[in-house]
Amino acid sequence: MEPVHGGLSSLKGAYPEMQRMCEKVRPKDNYRYFYPILYRMQVVAGTNYFIKVHVDEDKYVHICVSQALPCNGGECSISGIQSNKTLEDPIDYFPLGTK
C-alpha cells in the first residue's frame, strides 16, 4: 500500500540509493556504522523518509530525512533523530526536529 498524502507508507527494505542519501546527511556522532535497513515514507510538500539505521552491534537510531521537491532543488537534510532504538522497535512518525 502506498502512502496517502500526509500518511506513512508500509514498511520497506532499504535500497542502495537510500544508503547514498543517508551518507549525505550522516550526523557527526561517532557511529560505528550507518547502514539504513528499513524505512517508511511520508509524502507532503516533498518527502519525509523515516529510516531505521544500524549504528553499532545491536544499536539502531531512527532518522527522518526530508527531501525537497525537485522544483525546489531536491536536496535532502536530516530533520529528526531518535536514539536508543532496537531492531524490533517500530518505525513511526515522530515530530521533526526531534533529537
Side-chain angles (χ1 to χ4, degrees):
M1 171 188 268
E2 288 306 307
V4 175
H5 187 75
L8 289 177
S9 71
S10 58
L11 194 62
K12 300 178 183 190
Y15 51 93
E17 290 81 13
M18 181 77 55
Q19 178 66 45
R20 287 190 283 281
M21 180 185 350
C22 285
E23 285 302 322
K24 288 180 183 178
V25 300
R26 183 177 181 161
K28 300 295 182 207
D29 296 358
N30 290 324
Y31 295 125
R32 187 171 182 185
Y33 358 99
F34 205 72
Y35 304 134
I37 56 168
L38 298 167
Y39 76 98
R40 296 177 75 185
M41 57 189 266
Q42 177 189 40
V43 177
V44 288
T47 306
N48 292 322
Y49 295 91
F50 292 88
I51 309 167
K52 181 181 293 286
V53 181
H54 189 197
V55 294
D56 208 332
E57 293 302 318
D58 51 341
K59 296 179 182 176
Y60 298 82
V61 296
H62 291 177
I63 64 171
C64 180
V65 175
S66 297
Q67 183 174 28
L69 291 169
C71 62
N72 293 326
E75 294 297 314
C76 294
S77 61
I78 193 164
S79 54
I81 188 165
Q82 293 181 323
S83 301
N84 302 316
K85 296 295 183 177
T86 67
L87 181 59
E88 294 78 23
D89 286 334
I91 302 171
D92 289 316
Y93 173 85
F94 57 89
L96 304 184
T98 304
K99 297 284 183 183

